Amino acid sequence: MWPTLNAGGICRDDPDGGDGLVSCQTDNAEVYYYMDSGGKYELESPDRTIVINMLRDEYAPTALARHYDSSPVFSGDGETDIIYQEGSTNISSSSDGVTWCNDAYDNQRCDQQYIRIRGNGYYTPGVSCHETGHAVGLTHGRQASPMLSQTDSRLGCMQTPTAFGTGLGASNRENINATY
Ligand SMILES: [Zn+2]
């Protein structure tokens, strides 16, 4: 769980996902999420199903409660926690997706995070689990403490590259439950 001995810094705002930092926790255990519908970053029906099932299968067995927010809030103190988008704007060529904080709550926690994943087959259970992991503070192996290989199987869906159907590993769940 970020911050670790191998990944410090502070949680900060990034307007549109271009800075490459994925370092924040979410601001509480009640996670409200929204999936863009209509517009440039809309998730199509199969992608929406993947996100819903992934949250049920991987995150329901953790301390995080998940709520779909059909009336998302984009300003003020209680913003919708995670906004899922499909698109490729500001995703580096070596990545399938990006997660960023739009409104830091304090140095460690973010009020609203965006997850953007490429279209055309990239919205997989594994990649959506991975980016959701970043949104709640999980790290890659290289940033973990102790440091692990990027492909250590204990990282579950936080391995890079991220295989199609990987889910949270036991240590991911322990980290989440120790934090929230
Ligand atoms: Zn990642």
Side-chain angles (χ1 to χ4, degrees):
M1 180 63 65
W2 179 87
T4 74
L5 293 174
N6 296 314
I10 63 170
C11 175
R12 65 183 79 192
D13 295 1
D14 174 4
D16 199 30
D19 74 1
L21 297 175
V22 286
S23 303
C24 291
Q25 298 173 9
T26 190
D27 60 356
N28 63 69
E30 300 294 321
V31 177
Y32 286 82
Y33 71 99
Y34 177 71
M35 298 180 284
D36 266 9
S37 58
K40 185 178 176 186
Y41 298 114
E42 176 175 30
L43 273 71
E44 289 108 2
S45 176
D47 306 319
R48 301 172 77 85
T49 301
I50 281 170
V51 170
I52 290 166
N53 291 347
M54 177 280 296
L55 289 170
R56 178 196 65 202
D57 294 343
E58 305 304 331
Y59 287 85
T62 73
L64 295 170
R66 300 125 347 268
H67 313 277
Y68 190 71
D69 193 348
S70 55
S71 304
V73 179
F74 295 98
S75 62
D77 290 337
E79 297 178 73
T80 303
D81 297 296
I82 301 177
I83 308 295
Y84 291 88
Q85 298 185 332
E86 181 193 297
S88 58
T89 308
N90 290 336
I91 298 180
S92 77
S93 59
S94 60
S95 296
D96 296 339
V98 66
T99 300
W100 73 94
C101 179
N102 170 261
D103 190 7
Y105 174 77
D106 58 21
N107 283 344
Q108 197 156 315
R109 294 172 291 177
C110 183
D111 189 22
Q112 182 167 66
Q113 309 227 40
Y114 278 76
I115 290 175
R116 186 179 291 154
I117 295 173
R118 297 177 187 281
N120 298 321
Y122 287 95
Y123 241 103
T124 66
V127 172
S128 61
C129 172
H130 181 106
E131 298 302 335
T132 303
H134 283 313
V136 302
L138 296 179
T139 71
H140 299 151
R142 225 177 270 142
Q143 289 96 39
S145 180
M147 193 179 288
L148 300 172
S149 151
Q150 294 283 79
T151 55
D152 191 301
S153 63
R154 287 173 288 181
L155 294 163
C157 67
M158 299 313 290
Q159 291 174 79
T160 46
T162 313
F164 179 92
T166 42
L168 288 179
S171 63
N172 299 143
R173 286 192 293 272
E174 286 163 14
N175 275 306
I176 289 170
N177 293 344
T179 302
Y180 296 102

